[in-house]
């Protein structure tokens, strides 16, 4: 793959997947600054991995593998620093992303959902995020390296947790 | 939303950041992820590892060519070059298959690769006393022996040569012990903590 082809393919990937990658970053980092840093790390990871993409897996599977693995490395590096800076306290609920067309209730629900997703165990979080991003069960298996049964069980359990979390907080 | 369905959650999730990326943002990300930046980082890291060794090689080489204290055996420089070359070669040998982690591996394989990498590094650091501290101590010990066994008082330090040799020996011993502690204890402890963090990440 030549340099020009690589750049074209890379920009095309970003054009199609950037919103999804941004949401993925949100599931790993709560602070907006950290989300931005992670997004850049993922972008760099995709750039370096791109020449080795042979099409053995689907483009989506490959992309999410790179993104999740990069995010895990990022989290591993940052967690210690965050614990040092915050003294190991749990982070606050994120501020809802206000947009003109969304209602306050939706924003609150989304913030609850994001917080609940981030509180899931890593593997469950990966599965849920991939599911929300529209990957099929077989694609999720390929990204996580888990069996179909394991993915299904974890997904069901995680969805119940998330629904309960969003629903439970509504009545407060 | 009394009964939250899967579709509701998916919709809620996607609404958060679904805006189309603007070309400026794509250009910015593309610009930052240039291959030259990545290559530079790797090159710099590798160069840093060997720079210190090269400096020592130059020092010993200079000693061999220009000549040190005439009272000292020139074999010290030859031994020094041999020892430093051994350490550099050993490091290269241990890292010769080290490539960046494959980011396109599945999550389980990636975790296993991360843990293996850390385990290998821990093994390497725990044996620092044998492949790093010991070889690099040999030229110094050789020099100390030479000084102590000499009878005449010509050359540097004159009558104080035995005292200088003992001081040098103490200094070298402290330095070696510090290097060993730094690698075998401090760095290994940090790596173990990192390993634990990676394991915990995947635990339920």
């Amino acid at each position: 793959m030549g340099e020009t082809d690589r750049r074209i393919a890379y920009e095309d990937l970003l054009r199609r997947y950037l919103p999804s990658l941004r949401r993925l970053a949100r599931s790993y980092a709560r602070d907006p600054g950290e989300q931005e840093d992670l997004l850049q790390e993922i972008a760099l990871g995709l750039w370096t991995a791109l020449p080795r993409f042979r099409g053995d897996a689907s483009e989506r599977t490959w992309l999410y593998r790179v993104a999740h693995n990069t995010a895990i490395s990022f989290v591993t590096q940052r967690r210690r620093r965050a614990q040092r800076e915050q003294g190991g306290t749990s982070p606050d609920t994120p501020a809802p992303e206000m947009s003109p067309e969304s209602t306050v209730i939706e924003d609150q629900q989304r913030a609850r959902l994001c917080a609940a997703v981030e509180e899931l165990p890593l593997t469950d979080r990966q599965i849920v995020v991939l599911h929300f991003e529209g990957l099929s069960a077989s694609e999720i298996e390929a990204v996580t390296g888990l069996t179909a049964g394991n993915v299904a069980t974890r997904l069901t359990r995680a969805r119940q947790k998330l629904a309960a979390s969003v629903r439970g907080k509504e009545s407060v | 939303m009394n009964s939250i369905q899967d579709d509701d959650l998916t919709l809620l999730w996607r609404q958060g950041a679904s805006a189309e990326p603007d070309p400026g943002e794509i250009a910015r990300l593309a610009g930052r992820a240039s291959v030259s930046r990545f290559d530079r980082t790797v090159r710099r890291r590798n160069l840093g590892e060997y720079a210190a060794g090269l400096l020592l090689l130059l020092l010993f080489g200079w000693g061999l060519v220009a000549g040190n204290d005439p009272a000292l055996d020139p074999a010290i420089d030859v031994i020094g070059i041999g020892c430093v070359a051994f350490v550099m070669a050993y490091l290269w040998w241990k890292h010769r298959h080290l490539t960046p982690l494959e980011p396109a591996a599945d999550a389980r394989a990636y975790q296993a690769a991360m843990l293996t990498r850390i385990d290998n590094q821990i093994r390497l650091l725990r044996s620092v006393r044998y492949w790093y501290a010991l070889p690099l101590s040999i030229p110094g010990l050789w020099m100390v022996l030479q000084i102590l066994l000499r009878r005449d008082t010509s050359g540097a330090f004159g009558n104080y040569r035995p005292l200088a040799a003992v001081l040098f020996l103490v200094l070298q011993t402290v330095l070696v012990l510090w290097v060993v502690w730094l690698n075998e204890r401090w760095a290994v402890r940090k790596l173990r903590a990192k390993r634990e963090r990676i394991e915990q990440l995947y635990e339920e």
Side-chain angles (χ1 to χ4, degrees), chain A residues 148-167:
Chain A
N150 206 340
V151 167
T153 308
R154 283 170 180 270
L155 185 56
T156 306
R157 191 177 55 197
R159 277 190 306 209
Q160 284 169 351
K161 264 191 205 171
L162 294 179
S165 183
V166 174
R167 198 171 47 231

Side-chain angles (χ1 to χ4, degrees), chain B:
Chain B
M1 201 188 285
N2 289 325
S3 172
I4 295 177
Q5 301 298 314
D6 188 40
D7 288 347
D8 298 326
L9 288 174
T10 304
L11 195 65
L12 205 55
W13 174 258
R14 290 190 186 180
Q15 277 174 342
S18 55
E20 287 298 311
D22 67 275
E25 186 174 19
I26 290 172
R28 181 174 57 82
L29 286 167
R32 286 185 184 219
S34 66
V35 70
S36 58
R37 177 192 163 201
F38 178 75
D39 288 349
R40 256 203 317 272
T41 308
V42 173
R43 263 202 303 270
R44 204 177 295 144
R45 197 179 301 150
N46 287 343
L47 279 175
E49 279 185 15
Y50 293 105
L54 203 64
L55 186 71
L56 282 172
L57 280 180
L58 284 173
L59 280 173
F60 284 120
W62 176 253
L64 197 63
V65 174
N68 287 317
D69 184 340
L72 290 176
D73 188 349
I76 284 177
D77 295 316
V78 178
I79 292 169
I81 289 171
C83 290
V84 174
F86 167 79
V87 171
M88 289 174 75
Y90 188 83
L91 256 184
W92 170 81
W93 178 258
K94 284 289 178 182
H95 288 155
R96 72 192 187 284
H97 295 311
L98 196 68
T99 50
L101 289 175
E102 175 51 64
D106 70 53
R108 301 285 117 183
Y110 191 78
Q111 182 202 16
M114 278 200 291
L115 293 177
T116 304
R117 201 186 191 88
I118 291 173
D119 288 342
N120 288 340
Q121 192 62 17
I122 287 175
R123 264 197 296 278
L124 185 69
L125 291 182
R126 286 188 66 186
S127 57
V128 145
R129 69 180 68 185
Y130 303 114
W131 63 265
Y132 185 85
L134 186 65
L136 292 185
S137 303
I138 291 173
L141 290 173
W142 184 269
M143 192 169 80
V144 169
L145 261 177
Q146 285 234 314
I147 294 170
L148 288 174
L149 293 175
R150 272 190 63 218
R151 298 279 178 202
D152 66 280
T153 55
S154 61
F157 300 111
N159 286 323
Y160 296 102
R161 292 183 75 93
L163 182 65
V166 170
L167 281 176
F168 181 80
L169 188 65
V170 169
L171 194 71
Q172 177 175 295
T173 306
V174 169
L175 190 69
V176 164
L177 288 176
W178 181 71
V179 166
V180 168
W181 177 85
L182 201 66
N183 285 276
E184 295 187 9
R185 295 294 174 91
W186 186 77
V188 166
R189 194 165 58 232
K190 287 187 81 168
L191 281 174
R192 282 195 176 130
K194 186 176 180 180
R195 191 185 198 288
E196 212 170 289
R197 278 200 306 281
I198 292 169
E199 280 188 318
Q200 280 172 353
L201 272 176
Y202 289 84
E203 280 174 8
E204 292 197 350

